[in-house]
Amino acid sequence: MAKAKTKISYVCSECGTDYPRWQGNCGACKAWNTIVEFKEAKVATQRTAQTSAGYSVQDTEIEKLSEVSDQQLHRYKTGSSEFDRVLGEGIVHGSVVLLSGSPGAGKSTLLIDVLSRLSQIAPALYVSGEESKNQIKDRGDRLKLDLSKIDIMTTGDIERICQVALDRGHKFLVIDSIQTMFLTGIDSSPGNVTQVKESAAYLNRASKEHGITTIIIVHETKDGSISGPQTLSHIGDATLRIARESDSKYRTIRADKNRFGSAEEIGTLAMMADGLKDVTNPSAIFLEHGSVEASGNIAYASAEGRRTLLVNLQSLVDVSNGEIPQRGVVGVDYKRLSMLLAVMRKRMSVSIGDNDIYINVVGGLKLNETGTDVPMLLAMLSSFRDKILSSKTLAFGEVGLSGEVRPVPMGQERIKEAIRNGFEIVIVPKKNYHKSLETQGVKLIPISQVSELENVFDLAT
């Protein structure tokens, strides 16, 4: 059989944009010297019966979209409720999941634990191109896992891996990592943009055609994005990232993309001696980091998907010693801070723009929702006035340019979570307030204008 002709193109290693010829600058992401040669060989895939196929098999027949039969996605529980939460209540049969994270974040530890549980359902294969079989077995023994039904290979040959999985009937596959995998028909080394893209595409086709549920570990760049061509993230059905929090004991899992669930969910795990364990009340973790009672401190209720997460938000407002006031923002939107300073000056007659201003979300979390407006204003006012808010005070609410305080989604859930965690004063938008939420020993303070925030200090100090 004649070898398929290789097509040569040029691909930006940062954003994945294709070009017919080499050029120094990528027109899409504007990066320089990131365009590399890409040899795309036509890879033949064996057609087999679709009796055990995944959710997305090749189907060339035309039919009315309204007449397509409903197919209920089959999900498997991984044994970790936090991992399942981020995936969308379990991993979908025949799907491809990418998992990235910094070295030491716990990717391999999590997946050997998950595979140990999934192997009780159907045959499972762990493939490592980075560690030896002994290293992986030692990790499993240390975690006291049942390894009796897990097969293991230490190779990077993708074609051989897929053939072994088909021959032995494996239904679960872990690849550690895609940067060590290769196709023998491509003349480049493992980790090259061509090898990474084609290896992932080959695994994706095999998973979909034969119903193999695949989890692929992906290296991470310095800025926290997945390493390799941008097209890699399009190949996976879900792209997850596991990250360490400021306390190295805790890990959070987030979804950058999820075809079978919300990309807004967050999972929290703790690294223990016997592996990564689910944290059922992550609010307690993030609140304990900022338990010091001082001016500029306040708690905030963040809505992460279906979970309400309580965190501490801090501000420091100080006299500026330079010609240009300093601004430091960690965990919130810098542009949001500029807008709030203008609202304070215009709607509250409070001008602090000439001061150095710092905002910090304790615990390293990044908050992207507008509900942080009210606690940011209160934290800045607290620091500027040097008035301490009670450590049992929590606030949330969006602020408009006219100075109005707008309601936020999941208002009732945020209030209930605050009460459950022992907060006694909860400052909420008036439209999120309902009398039925009042509980003995808890004071709910509804506000409709930012001008009312000055009065809050008399109630919450």
Side-chain angles (χ1 to χ4, degrees), residues 49-125:
Q50 297 178 359
T51 54
S52 61
Y55 74 92
S56 179
V57 295
Q58 185 177 14
D59 187 354
T60 59
E61 298 299 323
I62 297 176
E63 57 184 313
K64 295 292 184 183
L65 184 58
S66 59
E67 297 174 1
V68 175
S69 60
D70 295 332
Q71 179 183 0
Q72 187 69 30
L73 293 175
H74 182 68
R75 295 179 183 269
Y76 302 104
K77 296 295 184 181
T78 65
S80 167
S81 60
E82 295 298 292
F83 194 43
D84 287 341
R85 173 198 293 274
V86 180
L87 287 168
E89 300 307 323
I91 191 168
V92 173
H93 170 70
S95 64
V96 176
V97 176
L98 306 181
L99 178 65
S100 70
S102 60
K107 302 183 294 296
S108 300
T109 299
L110 173 64
L111 293 188
I112 190 65
D113 191 349
V114 166
L115 202 63
S116 171
R117 298 172 188 271
L118 292 176
S119 66
Q120 306 304 313
I121 302 172
L125 174 63

Side-chain angles (χ1 to χ4, degrees), residues 315-390:
S315 176
L316 179 63
V317 180
D318 195 14
V319 176
S320 178
N321 293 320
E323 294 182 4
I324 302 175
Q326 298 296 306
R327 300 285 186 268
V329 175
V330 178
V332 292
D333 186 1
Y334 177 84
K335 294 180 179 179
R336 206 77 192 167
L337 171 61
S338 300
M339 185 204 77
L340 291 176
L341 291 175
V343 171
M344 288 178 72
R345 183 174 63 252
K346 187 72 174 178
R347 308 300 178 189
M348 301 175 66
S349 299
V350 178
S351 181
I352 63 173
D354 294 335
N355 294 274
D356 292 339
I357 301 173
Y358 303 93
I359 300 285
N360 176 48
V361 178
V362 179
L365 288 178
K366 292 183 179 180
L367 305 175
N368 299 314
E369 55 179 356
T370 56
T372 57
D373 290 350
V374 168
M376 283 174 65
L377 282 176
L378 283 169
M380 288 188 288
L381 282 171
S382 171
S383 180
F384 180 63
R385 306 284 193 206
D386 200 23
K387 291 185 176 180
I388 298 175
L389 290 164
S390 167

Side-chain angles (χ1 to χ4, degrees), residues 34-275:
T34 58
I35 298 176
V36 295
E37 185 178 270
F38 181 84
K39 296 179 180 179
E40 186 172 354
K42 293 182 179 179
V43 184
T45 55
Q46 183 180 4
R47 293 185 181 274
T48 58
Q50 297 178 359
T51 54
S52 61
Y55 74 92
S56 179
V57 295
Q58 185 177 14
D59 187 354
T60 59
E61 298 299 323
I62 297 176
E63 57 184 313
K64 295 292 184 183
L65 184 58
S66 59
E67 297 174 1
V68 175
S69 60
D70 295 332
Q71 179 183 0
Q72 187 69 30
L73 293 175
H74 182 68
R75 295 179 183 269
Y76 302 104
K77 296 295 184 181
T78 65
S80 167
S81 60
E82 295 298 292
F83 194 43
D84 287 341
R85 173 198 293 274
V86 180
L87 287 168
E89 300 307 323
I91 191 168
V92 173
H93 170 70
S95 64
V96 176
V97 176
L98 306 181
L99 178 65
S100 70
S102 60
K107 302 183 294 296
S108 300
T109 299
L110 173 64
L111 293 188
I112 190 65
D113 191 349
V114 166
L115 202 63
S116 171
R117 298 172 188 271
L118 292 176
S119 66
Q120 306 304 313
I121 302 172
L125 174 63
Y126 192 105
V127 180
S128 175
E130 300 188 352
E131 295 181 297
S132 68
K133 295 178 180 179
N134 288 335
Q135 287 175 304
I136 297 167
K137 182 179 184 298
D138 287 345
R139 180 183 295 115
D141 290 340
R142 187 172 66 252
L143 302 180
K144 299 179 181 180
L145 302 176
D146 181 0
L147 308 177
S148 61
K149 297 182 180 180
I150 300 177
D151 291 335
I152 185 167
M153 291 178 68
T154 52
T155 179
D157 189 337
I158 283 293
E159 291 161 298
R160 184 177 175 223
I161 292 167
C162 291
Q163 193 58 55
V164 168
L166 290 177
D167 292 344
R168 294 179 175 264
H170 292 119
K171 293 303 175 186
F172 301 105
L173 173 64
V174 167
I175 301 293
D176 185 7
S177 64
I178 194 63
Q179 273 76 17
T180 61
M181 300 295 116
F182 62 87
L183 286 166
T184 55
I186 297 177
D187 187 19
S188 60
S189 60
N192 178 276
V193 62
T194 307
Q195 286 285 13
V196 170
K197 179 180 178 181
E198 286 301 308
S199 296
Y202 195 100
L203 281 168
N204 186 57
R205 287 192 296 270
S207 298
K208 300 296 186 293
E209 291 183 8
H210 304 289
I212 303 173
T213 307
T214 305
I215 306 177
I216 303 173
I217 292 180
V218 185
H219 290 175
E220 187 178 86
T221 60
K222 291 181 180 179
D223 63 359
S225 58
I226 64 173
S227 177
Q230 188 65 30
T231 49
L232 184 60
S233 62
H234 299 304
I235 290 172
D237 297 302
T239 304
L240 312 184
R241 179 174 181 266
I242 182 169
R244 295 187 189 192
E245 295 305 324
S246 56
D247 185 332
S248 60
K249 175 181 176 181
Y250 297 107
R251 309 288 191 269
T252 56
I253 304 178
R254 293 178 182 269
D256 293 328
K257 162 192 167 184
N258 191 355
R259 287 177 180 155
F260 307 116
S262 171
E264 304 298 324
E265 294 290 350
I266 180 173
T268 308
L269 302 166
M271 180 64 80
M272 311 298 287
D274 55 347

